[in-house]
Structure formats: structure tokens, C-alpha cells
Amino acid sequence: MCGIIGVTCLPSSRNQKVAEIITNGLRSLEYRGYDSVGIAMIDASERRIIIKKSDGMLEQVAKRYDFPNTPGFTGIGHTRWATHGAPTQINAHPQVDCKQEIAVVHNGIVKNFLELKRELEAKGHIFKSETDTEVIAHMVEELSKNSDTFTAFKKTVSMLEGSYALALVSVKEPDKIFFARRESPLIIGISEGINLIASDIPAMLDHTNAFIPLSDGEIGWISPSHVHLESLSGEVVDLKKRIIYVDWKSDMVRKGGYPHFMIKEIHEQPQVLKNTYEGLMSDDILDRAADLLMRGEKLFVTAAGTSYHASLLLKLFFEKLTGKIVYPFIASEFRTVEHLADRGDIIMVVSQSGETIDTMKAMRAFRARGATAVAITNVMGSTIGREADFTIPMRAGPEIGVAATKTFLTQALVASLLSIKFSSKVGKMGKDEERGALAILGEAGRIAGESIAMTEGAAKGMAERIHTTKSLYFLGRGLGVPLAYEAALKLKEISYIHAEAYPAGESKHGPIALVERDFPVFFIVSSDSSDEIASNVAEMNARGALTVALAPEKFKEKLGAKVLFRVPEVDPMLEPYALTPPFQLLAYYTAVRRGYNPDRPRNLAKTVTVE
Ligand code: M6R
């Protein structure tokens, strides 16, 4: 879950220093991990590698060591989410060999590192860190005694068990960056006089829109004017067939005047929902996806975290509109259900990044049993996007905040549009009805915008009220249940207040025991639930809870909650777009009120590429 970047550039081709390019790239990769950070630059004239690294966040470390002014035209950088070894300066990447002539950055876990380390120690190598990564630098050192660096690198990689995205530099070949990938994302960026390699696309957007996402088992090197890519078995890859062009712009990965990415991305929702809708309506991709679903025997859906909550919405939409059962499961639990999958089944896979290891493994296990995978992802060149049999783009643009916001609602929109198409194919909806339903969803962006405008002030006020709270509940019924799960995740992951979600009816079967005077209980009130939920509000009021309803004005009296977050009154299909912004805003303002940076929640990384 770390972020890695490598840049190699012709001395004459850029005004900017390469170390500055790497530092800027790390800034946009920092959401992948921020325990420590470091760079390695090859100083070819002195035949040495300059290493600068420390525990702590990029801004402080880069300033302290003056990262941008480090000399050199080839270098690598890393931002770390610790797996092996505490987040200390020694354990920070890059890791080096005995003579500091080879440096490596790594995202992933080398499972057999202890075995390799013992072997190398027996040959006299001295290790400094507790990381699994350091063995790679020493092994390349050992093997390149009798061969060129690429041969040594290939041999080293073939010995590694586990997952890796690697970038390695050596003073012996000072304008090259060697790389390899297995189960952790890695993408080459190609441009005139400069080539790059990084964990994801936003880190390279300042320099190119042309990318080659690597597949598992690929290995190679870049120099300023050449890219070499081959499979581990030595087959050279034809690059022309692999280049993708991405229409994201570099200003999309900047804060644009907002204090944090999270609040920027919440406010982007009206626009991105419009983009998602217009993009999907302008071609026949949903028709083709629905045709594929028609051929499915059983339908499964899998994902992790926020994307799982969107999958629960997908299940509700599908079952309501098509009558076809959808079996959802949490991706990391795929082993408990994979035996249910057969040839002819469909697995829908929802992943913003398209790189979440749990989701990827679930998809692979189902495909191995003959199921067809239909992916919904924001990153078309991602591993899940490429490996799925059919991929639907979310078009949310890059999401940098660790807490998913705009991608949740775009996933919800893709799910509802797909369920409408599918419903019409299976004859549950006539053509006119289909057109009408699709037109209603064209309003999703506008409703999200209205909801933000109506609830931002209330969210700030409520943050002031609950910021010292230790624990709270989100309850819902029907559509409100997945939304309550998402609300609880949002609040706990960035404000560190314990938040739990339950179907409101279930609260009586245990959770209500915690409720005492002023205990906050938030109710997410969808139109399929307002009658029964009123009794749950009354039960909580009777115990002195601070009851807060997220609901349209018309339910105010019936619900009897002590506080109302008034949201737009809309068609049931549009309710996710009315009900979601207030709890996203509440999470954001509560985190800020408690003095935390919502873009950098502790212990978390945006893309989880380790099991
Ligand atoms: O990239 P993915 O959608 O596969 O990520 C899945 C989860 O890790 C992710 O949704 C996570 O729960 C969110 N960042 C939480 O806000």
C-alpha cells in the first residue's frame, strides 16, 4: 500500500529538476501511505547514489532534507505504509545494498525475505533495516557481480515470493530504472525525453497522458528515451498495443482552493455524477453489460469498504427492479463462497482503484471457476479493469482523499443505471418506463448539489456538538441500511469516533443497551422506511438519546427526532444523492473540528494492495 515513483530524464529535456518531479509525484501518492518517505537520486558524475529519507510526512521531510534540489537525472521515490519494520528512518525506503550503489523502492510484501536474508548474510552482506525490501538490493548486488544489472534484477525477482511493485536504480547503469510487478500496481508513463514509472496515474499527469499499466509478472527498464518490457519468461512485449491515453488533467489532483481533497471531492459530486451519467448514456456500454448479465445464472457482487456499501445498494436496486437475486459478499471473505460459483454465473466487481487485492483475488477465484466478471471501476487501466471480462467506467475523475466520497455516489449511479437497463431486458420495465427512469437519474448530480447546499451548515453545527462524543450510531431501514454503513465508516475512519451502523429494527436486539442521555443516534430516512423508523426514533428518544434524522421536511413531524438535517424531497431512485452528502460533510467537519487531517487518516491507505 505504499506509493512508488521513478523518473529518468534527458538533462536537456526539462527545466524542472528530476528530484522536484519525484517530490511532486510523491505528494500525489502520499494517500497510499505516509509513515515515512524517501528518495534516491543517481549522481552520475560522482558515481554515487544520494539517499534522503525519514519517518514522517512528505512536506516536513522534503523540506528538512531539501528533496527538490537533490542533483541527478534519474531517481526513485517512496511513500510508505509500514508492513515489515516500524516506521523509522532506517526502515524508510529507498533501501540500499552494502555499498549504497543500488537503491530500491517497493510496494508489497516479500514473504520469503528471511530465507533470502540468511543466504545473503552467509555471503557477508550486512543488513541495516528490518524491512523485507532490503534483501532485493543485496541480492541484486550479489548477482550483478558477474552480470549486468537487468540480468541480476530478473534473477532476483524470480526468487521473490509475495507481492511487489519495484523500482531499482544502480550506479552501474545510471540512466536506467529497473522495475517489476506482481499483485501491486505499477504503471509506466511515456513522454518526450522523460519516462516515468509509478504506482498510479495521477503521480505522472504533469508530464504525460500516455501510460502502459503493467500486468502481473512483467519486468523491464526505462531510460529517458527507451522502454523495455518483457514477461518473466522473457517474451518481449509490443508496447504499441499496450499504450492507453487518459483524459485526466493534472489540476484534477490539486486541491483547487479547498483546504482538503475530501471536501473538494464532496463538492465535485454534482459535476462528476453528471459526467458519469452523460458518459454512460452516450454509448451502448450499459446495454452490452445488461446483455451479459442476462446470460448469467446466479449473480454475485463483491467489493471492499465503501465499494462494498455501493454493492449493497446495487443488490437493492437489482432485486427491486429486476426481481433477480444478487448475492453480495465482502471480497476478503471470498473463500467462504467461491464454491458456489459455476460456469455461467456472473460476478460483479466494484472497485474504485481497481487494485484492491481482496477484490482482485475474489474476482480471480470466481473466474477460475468459469464465472464471468463485470467490473465497475474508476481506473480503466487498473488490474481489475483489465482482467474483468467486461468493464464499466465510473468516470469520477481521480479521487485523492483516502475517504471515498464522490466515487461512492458514482458507483451508486452506475448500479442504478445498470439495474434499469437489465430490468428492461428481462421485461420488467417497458421502453417508456425505462426512458422515464433513466431521465430521473439524470438529476442525480443536481440533487447532490442541492443536498450539499442544504446540509453543509447543519453538518458543521452538528460537528461542533458531537466532536467530544466517544461513540454513536447510524441507523436506517431499506435503502438507509447501506447508507448507514457508509456513514459510520466515513465518520470513524477520519474522526476516530467510534461509529456503528445497524438496520434500525435491529437496534432493539442489543445495541440500544449503550444508549443513555445525549448518546447521538443518526437516522438515515429513505421513503421505504419512514413509518417503521419513527418507532425506532421514539425508542431512542425515550432513553434520552440525541436523535438526528437525515430526512426531507415532510417526515419531520412523523419522525419526532430532536434534530432534522433537512434534505431534498426526491423520487426514491434519487434518494442516495440526497441522503449521502450530509453524512460525508458531518464526517469531514467532525474530523477537522477534532484537529485531524481528513485526507490522511492514521493507519489507512487509499488503495489496499496487501492482504
Ligand atoms: O479501490 P476500492 O474501491 O477497491 O477500495 C475499497 C476500499 O478500500 C475503500 O472503499 C475504502 O473503504 C475507502 N477508502 C473508505 O473510505
Side-chain angles (χ1 to χ4, degrees):
M1 284 150 60
C2 311
I4 71 173
I5 181 163
V7 180
T8 175
C9 182
L10 286 175
S12 53
S13 89
R14 287 288 183 286
N15 293 329
Q16 219 181 358
K17 293 196 172 88
V18 171
E20 190 179 355
I21 297 175
I22 293 176
T23 310
N24 290 342
L26 286 174
R27 202 162 275 131
S28 76
L29 286 169
E30 210 184 5
Y31 70 87
R32 301 179 68 89
Y34 27 85
D35 292 335
S36 61
V37 62
I39 60 167
M41 295 300 302
I42 298 216
D43 183 359
S45 55
E46 304 282 331
R47 236 188 103 74
R48 63 173 183 150
I49 295 182
I50 304 166
I51 303 279
K52 294 180 173 179
K53 63 180 188 175
S54 179
D55 52 319
M57 289 208 182
L58 175 71
E59 290 313 327
Q60 294 85 51
V61 178
K63 196 162 166 213
R64 194 177 333 133
Y65 294 97
D66 195 12
F67 276 16
N69 286 314
T70 316
F73 296 98
T74 300
I76 53 179
H78 187 271
T79 176
R80 179 166 187 246
W81 187 84
T83 55
H84 289 74
T88 60
Q89 181 171 37
I90 295 283
N91 290 335
H93 295 208
Q95 289 293 323
V96 295
D97 65 326
C98 297
K99 292 186 275 185
Q100 201 172 304
E101 291 186 347
I102 294 167
V104 62
V105 289
H106 171 211
N107 171 26
I109 295 174
V110 177
K111 288 188 179 154
N112 59 336
F113 82 102
L114 275 177
E115 200 180 307
L116 299 174
K117 187 172 176 178
R118 273 189 218 111
E119 194 183 304
L120 287 159
E121 279 174 337
K123 289 183 175 143
H125 288 260
I126 309 288
F127 282 77
K128 296 183 206 75
S129 77
E130 301 157 279
T131 65
D132 50 338
T133 305
E134 194 182 346
V135 291
I136 298 166
H138 289 276
M139 190 59 85
V140 174
E141 176 186 22
E142 181 63 29
L143 298 173
S144 57
K145 282 178 185 159
N146 305 313
S147 69
D148 62 277
T149 312
F150 190 46
T151 309
F153 180 64
K154 275 204 283 188
K155 272 197 201 146
T156 303
V157 168
S158 69
M159 291 176 192
L160 304 179
E161 286 168 19
S163 58
Y164 46 79
L166 294 171
L168 178 140
V169 289
S170 164
V171 286
K172 274 196 195 163
E173 295 174 64
D175 68 347
K176 283 187 184 156
I177 299 172
F178 303 90
F179 59 79
R181 157 195 172 138
R182 181 173 168 198
E183 287 180 10
S184 297
L186 198 55
I187 295 146
I188 302 171
I190 307 164
S191 193
E192 199 64 24
I194 181 171
N195 283 319
L196 309 96
I197 185 124
S199 300
D200 73 18
I201 288 170
M204 301 182 274
L205 280 177
D206 274 338
H207 305 280
T208 184
N209 284 90
F211 301 100
I212 303 176
L214 300 189
S215 297
D216 272 353
E218 288 183 334
I219 187 161
W221 53 265
I222 51 172
S223 68
S225 49
H226 195 83
V227 175
H228 174 81
L229 182 62
E230 61 181 64
S231 65
L232 261 185
S233 57
E235 229 169 282
V236 176
V237 174
D238 179 358
L239 299 175
K240 281 192 221 84
K241 290 193 186 144
R242 291 281 298 276
I243 298 182
I244 59 164
Y245 295 90
V246 170
D247 63 358
W248 293 356
K249 305 218 169 25
S250 53
D251 59 0
M252 290 175 163
V253 295
R254 305 219 165 87
K255 286 185 203 146
Y258 287 94
H260 299 103
F261 282 109
M262 183 178 175
I263 190 72
K264 174 182 179 239
E265 287 160 2
I266 291 173
H267 278 271
E268 275 173 4
Q269 290 179 118
Q271 185 58 47
V272 297
L273 287 164
K274 189 165 176 280
N275 298 348
T276 305
Y277 182 81
E278 286 172 0
L280 290 174
M281 290 297 106
S282 67
D283 67 22
D284 63 351
I285 191 162
L286 289 178
D287 277 303
R288 286 185 288 128
D291 283 337
L292 202 61
L293 296 181
M294 288 276 290
R295 298 205 290 273
E297 289 287 328
K298 298 193 281 307
L299 297 183
F300 295 88
V301 63
T302 194
T306 292
S307 296
Y308 179 68
H309 302 148
S311 304
L312 295 177
L313 290 176
L314 180 146
K315 175 189 165 66
L316 287 179
F317 301 150
F318 263 66
E319 292 179 353
K320 184 169 174 200
L321 294 184
T322 73
K324 179 110 177 149
I325 297 175
V326 177
Y327 302 96
F329 66 93
I330 288 184
S332 56
E333 286 298 310
F334 75 92
R335 292 205 191 283
T336 60
V337 286
E338 62 179 322
H339 63 284
L340 301 175
D342 279 321
R343 189 165 296 283
D345 291 343
I346 303 274
I347 173 103
M348 290 181 270
V349 182
V350 185
S351 175
Q352 185 283 128
S353 62
E355 301 291 352
T356 299
I357 190 85
D358 296 327
T359 313
M360 200 184 297
K361 288 209 157 174
M363 178 178 86
R364 286 178 181 161
F366 271 60
R367 289 189 80 231
R369 295 183 65 89
T372 300
V374 175
I376 297 173
T377 184
N378 199 29
V379 186
M380 289 299 276
S382 61
T383 310
I384 290 175
R386 283 177 293 122
E387 286 186 16
D389 300 281
F390 193 91
T391 301
I392 306 172
M394 287 156 52
R395 291 195 175 85
E399 187 177 68
I400 306 297
V402 168
T405 51
K406 61 178 179 170
T407 55
F408 175 64
L409 280 185
T410 50
Q411 286 166 343
L413 183 58
V414 175
S416 350
L417 292 169
L418 185 59
S419 63
I420 291 168
K421 287 280 177 191
F422 187 43
S423 168
S424 148
K425 299 256 174 204
V426 294
K428 293 268 175 191
M429 226 183 227
K431 273 286 157 205
D432 283 349
E433 244 182 308
E434 177 193 335
R435 264 192 295 277
L438 293 174
I440 288 173
L441 284 171
E443 298 295 301
R446 186 179 64 76
I447 296 304
E450 265 180 34
S451 174
I452 293 168
M454 283 168 79
T455 60
E456 189 153 12
K460 268 188 208 164
M462 186 50 68
E464 195 54 45
R465 216 160 152 183
I466 64 162
H467 77 278
T468 52
T469 295
K470 297 257 175 309
S471 181
L472 54 82
Y473 287 146
F474 283 96
L475 305 180
R477 283 175 179 257
L479 181 85
V481 175
L483 297 181
Y485 290 146
E486 177 57 11
L489 173 63
K490 238 26 5 138
L491 193 88
K492 79 177 102 175
E493 71 179 329
I494 59 168
S495 76
Y496 318 143
I497 292 175
H498 175 246
E500 262 184 281
Y502 285 96
E506 191 65 10
S507 63
K508 309 179 298 282
H509 299 279
I512 200 166
L514 258 63
V515 174
E516 51 192 22
R517 178 149 301 282
D518 295 332
F519 185 98
V521 184
F522 290 83
F523 291 87
I524 301 194
V525 187
S526 46
S527 51
D528 56 352
S529 69
S530 62
D531 288 338
E532 297 101 329
I533 223 167
S535 338
N536 304 122
V537 176
E539 288 149 17
M540 294 298 173
N541 278 340
R543 281 146 189 95
L546 167 61
T547 50
V548 185
L550 278 59
E553 176 76 28
K554 69 168 179 185
F555 292 145
K556 184 176 177 187
E557 218 167 301
K558 174 161 73 175
L559 290 168
K562 291 179 185 159
V563 180
L564 177 76
F565 268 46
R566 201 166 60 85
V567 304
E569 186 182 334
V570 291
D571 182 279
M573 279 197 296
L574 291 169
E575 285 181 331
Y577 316 98
L579 289 166
T580 298
F583 66 70
Q584 295 173 334
L585 290 163
L586 177 70
Y588 173 78
Y589 284 112
T590 306
V592 171
R593 179 63 185 81
R594 283 165 66 81
Y596 300 123
N597 177 351
D599 287 342
R600 301 272 179 271
R602 68 186 176 209
N603 305 335
L604 292 181
K606 177 111 187 120
T607 309
V608 182
T609 53
V610 291
E611 277 173 283

